[in-house]
């Protein structure tokens, strides 16, 4: 059974169809990259997987470990092991990062029938994961994302991911806005967390990231559809040639999978 | 109803957690108010003649006054003759220790999660527990006594320290100050008295937990705190009330006096019965709280977390008389269902270089109405006075209201005054972010609200802040864990 299986997914917002029949299968242990021009629907896909309610799914299904994901509230999906690293992480004034993560971890533990973590273990867990993304522990006492630089916000997402240990992590342009050192740190974090039991869906515009996080598959999302899938070489092609050749291929009716 | 509306509805409509009635024997005066009532109360407490006269004078003034009507509240007419003005738990004998306290009372405190024993052992807080109108137990008195700190019930203060009470009572809130203050002055039953001698830094928080506990009984507390030169005290007041259908009137008066270089920190967590979903029942909380920074460089700081009461009418204020004195007001007011709150502060700048700071956070849910009303007054002689005010309102749902009424009265051109105000709703994207991390909407909402209130909560003493945080969450949660 695939970890994630998306079949003919159609979704709209305010009557505009944005996803027009997405098919995607991610197995445990895999890393998939999704690339595609601005506005093609990448974040929309990520949002629907995470359960954002303003999108209306008009057709198709999303299965997670064989269960219907679309039936679950966002928090239930999170507790089941679906994580989204946001393209634009929000700020939560007055709520310390430590408190936020504590609330989150304990919810997930409760879902698994585990006791809440005591303060010392919680602290140990946070410190260990902070080290993974090379963040200072002073971030813990700062309000969630408030006043964080763009890069710090992205690292904070990976930090949270490391703490929560999801089965499926969707990274929505976690690399944009990162300097080269931060990019390596983030990629390194992902690689350390990656194992045979989990999977990553990495949305990115830049092949650069895929030098560090090596994908099993690369998909091109164009105008609400996955129009091409391939191995990691596809990303290099895209980097070199842009998207026009794919559009041309499409118009010429060429086969969509290489 | 959309899903969000439903959640907000549930969140806003949670049952009052602390609704129960305990069965402590009451000694209650029949309803009605007359000079006789005043005589009865004064006699019951063996008061000196001057105090009886003081009360009677207030009573006669009160007869000529009418209830205030300028506030943004809908107050049903109150029949002052239908209220009982005296009620006391009957102590079997004089109490020397907690062991002798009515176990029912102790159980009541335990339900609130504020077991006196635990408080004593763990936090070093001296607790003067007031149930209805008479102090039942006072702890740590001896330890405080060594430092010369007086902390006792008002009745005891009248007996043991009449000269101090006579000197300061009514000095900040004169009996004729307003309708409810006059009523309180006439019939006040008990309350707390604290006196910190010169140069003493009170080593523990002084704490009083108030409860209204008798059906149809108004409660008229009177609190007086005097901080002598160079002294410091932090005082905690907290309260909850059992659920019932009749409205209960509470008209307390609190007076604070800070002399040269003295500092008084007064913190309140208020959680009286707010009434049910339709606004039936609930406490009317009409309180006059005022402090005077009498001395130079003195400081008075009010911090309040208000979640209870059907109607709140309350403006803890500072008169900044001494040069270089400082007044502060930090407030979180949360209203839901049909609660109404009209609360804020007055900062009266009289001395030179006086400074004041106002941070008000209003949270409204359900069909509640939440108003901030604040006056900053700079008198002619108040050279270089400074004020900073910040009033933030957070709305949950679209059937509630948040209002801000800032008044400014400036008679000195050297004053620097800053005012900021915001009104916002909890953003969808913030909620979604929290839910993506595994929190349900209620928990996310509680977290966001605690964040919104943090500037105020962090002003509370540690243990109190934790309690207040829980209270905000409980007040908002549909189900209580
Ligand atoms: N909440 C919304 N309201 C209206 N339109 C939306 C909304 N969310 C997405 N869209 C539209 O759907 C389309 C796809 O947006 P989406 O954010 O998924 O693109 P993307 O592939 O992530 O783009 P980018 O690379 O710029 O991040 C865009 O045209 C966008 O304007
Ligand atoms: Mg996007």
């Amino acid at each position: 059974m695939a970890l994630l299986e998306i079949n003919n997914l159609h979704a709209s917002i305010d009557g505009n169809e944005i996803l027009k029949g997405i098919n995607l299968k991610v197995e445990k242990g895999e890393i998939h990259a999704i690339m595609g021009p601005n506005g093609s629907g990448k974040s929309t896909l990520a949002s629907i997987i995470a359960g954002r309610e303003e999108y209306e799914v008009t057709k198709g299904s999303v299965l997670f470990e064989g269960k219907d994901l679309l039936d679950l509230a966002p928090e239930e999906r999170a507790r089941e092991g679906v994580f989204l690293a946001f393209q634009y992480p929000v700020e939560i004034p007055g709520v310390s990062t430590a408190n936020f993560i504590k609330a989150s971890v304990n919810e997930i533990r409760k879902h698994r029938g585990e006791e809440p973590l005591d303060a010392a273990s919680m602290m140990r867990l946070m410190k260990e994961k902070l080290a993974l993304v090379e963040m200072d522990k002073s971030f813990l006492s700062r309000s969630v994302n408030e006043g964080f630089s763009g890069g710090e916000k992205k690292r904070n997402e990976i930090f949270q991911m490391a703490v929560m240990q999801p089965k499926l992590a969707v990274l929505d342009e976690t690399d944009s806005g990162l300097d080269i050192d931060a990019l390596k740190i983030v990629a390194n974090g992902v690689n350390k967390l990656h194992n045979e039991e989990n999977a990553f869906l990495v949305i990115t515009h830049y092949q650069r990231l895929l030098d560090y996080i090596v994908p099993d598959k690369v998909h091109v999302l164009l105008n609400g559809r996955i129009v091409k899938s391939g191995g990691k070489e596809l990303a290099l092609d895209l980097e070199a040639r842009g998207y026009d050749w794919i559009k041309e291929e499409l118009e010429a009716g060429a086969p969509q999978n290489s | 109803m959309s899903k969000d509306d439903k959640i907000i509805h549930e969140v806003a409509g949670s049952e009052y957690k602390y609704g129960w009635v305990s069965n402590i024997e009451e000694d209650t005066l029949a309803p009605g108010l007359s000079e006789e009532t005043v005589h009865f109360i004064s006699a019951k407490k063996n008061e000196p003649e001057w105090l009886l006269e003081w009360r009677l004078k207030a009573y006669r003034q009160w007869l000529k006054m009418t209830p205030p009507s300028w506030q943004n509240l809908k107050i049903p007419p109150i029949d002052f003759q239908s209220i009982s003005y005296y009620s006391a738990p009957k102590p079997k004998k004089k109490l020397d220790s907690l062991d002798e306290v009515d176990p029912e009372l102790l159980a009541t405190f335990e339900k609130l999660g504020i077991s006196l024993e635990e408080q004593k052992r763990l936090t070093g807080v001296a607790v003067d527990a007031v149930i209805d109108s008479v102090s039942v137990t006072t702890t740590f008195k001896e330890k405080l006594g060594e430092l010369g700190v007086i902390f006792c019930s008002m009745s005891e203060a009248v007996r043991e320290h009449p000269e101090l009470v006579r000197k300061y009572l009514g000095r900040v809130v004169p009996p004729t100050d307003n309708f409810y203050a006059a009523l309180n002055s006439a019939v006040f039953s008990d309350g707390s008295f604290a006196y910190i001698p010169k140069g003493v830094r009170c080593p523990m928080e002084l704490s009083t937990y108030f409860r209204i506990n008798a059906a149809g009984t108004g409660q008229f507390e009177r609190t007086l705190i005097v901080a002598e030169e160079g002294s410091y005290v932090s005082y905690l007041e907290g309260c909850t009330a059992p659920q019932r259908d009749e409205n209960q009137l509470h008209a307390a008066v609190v007076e604070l006096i800070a002399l040269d270089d003295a500092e008084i920190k007064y913190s309140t967590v208020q959680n009286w019965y707010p009434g049910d979903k339709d606004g039936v029942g609930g406490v009317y909380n009409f309180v006059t709280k005022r402090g005077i920074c009498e001395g130079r460089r003195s400081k008075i700081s009010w911090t309040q977390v208000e979640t209870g009461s059907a109607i709140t009418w309350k403006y803890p204020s500072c008169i900044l008389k001494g040069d270089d004195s400082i007044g502060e007001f930090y407030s979180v007011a949360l209203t839901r269902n049909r609660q109404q709150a009209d609360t804020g502060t007055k900062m009266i700048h009289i001395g030179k270089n006086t400074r004041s700071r106002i941070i008000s956070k209003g949270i409204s849910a359900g069909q509640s109405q939440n108003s901030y009303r604040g006056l900053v007054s700079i008198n002619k002689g108040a050279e270089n006075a400074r004020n900073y005010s910040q009033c933030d309102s957070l709305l949950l749902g679209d059937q509630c209201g948040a209002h801000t009424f800032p008044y400014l009265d400036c008679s000195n051109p050297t004053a620097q005054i800053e005012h900021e105000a915001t009104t916002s709703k909890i953003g969808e994207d913030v909620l979604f972010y929290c839910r993506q991390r595994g929190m349900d909407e209620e928990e996310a909402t509680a977290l966001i609200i605690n964040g919104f209130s943090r500037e105020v909560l962090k002003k509370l003493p540690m243990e109190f802040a934790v309690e207040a945080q829980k209270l905000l969450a409980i007040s908002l949660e549909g189900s209580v864990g």
Side-chain angles (χ1 to χ4, degrees), chain A residues 51-53 74-75 78-79 82-84 86 90 93-95 100 103-104 107 145 157 160 164, chain B residues 3-4 428-430 432-441 443 447-448 450-452 454 469:
Chain A
R52 204 149 181 155
E53 277 147 1
E75 60 271 27
R79 294 170 195 165
V82 175
F83 181 89
L84 172 62
F86 286 77
V90 299
V95 177
F100 181 78
S104 162
E107 277 306 326
N145 292 323
E157 294 292 286
Q160 291 178 46
M164 291 172 70
Chain B
K3 189 154 183 243
D4 286 350
E428 253 337 290
D429 47 347
V430 179
F432 182 67
Y433 189 82
C434 296
R435 294 179 73 188
Q436 211 304 299
R437 300 302 188 245
M439 294 166 227
D440 63 25
E441 286 193 57
E443 191 180 2
L447 193 79
I448 294 164
N450 272 309
F452 173 79
R454 179 153 114 163
Q469 230 164 344

Side-chain angles (χ1 to χ4, degrees), chain B residues 1-12:
Chain B
M1 209 177 338
S2 82
K3 189 154 183 243
D4 286 350
D5 286 351
K6 201 175 141 251
I7 289 283
I8 287 168
H9 204 78
E10 280 169 10
V11 156

Side-chain angles (χ1 to χ4, degrees), chain A residues 26 30-31 34 43 54 110-111 139 148 166 168 189 245 253:
Chain A
V26 180
E30 289 184 341
I31 297 179
I34 295 186
S43 293
E54 56 256 54
K110 192 160 86 193
H111 181 71
F139 281 101
F148 286 25
L168 174 72
W245 63 281

Side-chain angles (χ1 to χ4, degrees), chain A residues 13-14 18 36-44 54-55 87 173 205:
Chain A
I13 188 154
D14 303 332
I18 294 167
N38 294 133
S40 57
K42 303 181 297 296
S43 293
T44 303
E54 56 256 54
Y55 297 95
Q87 183 173 4
E173 294 195 28
H205 284 294

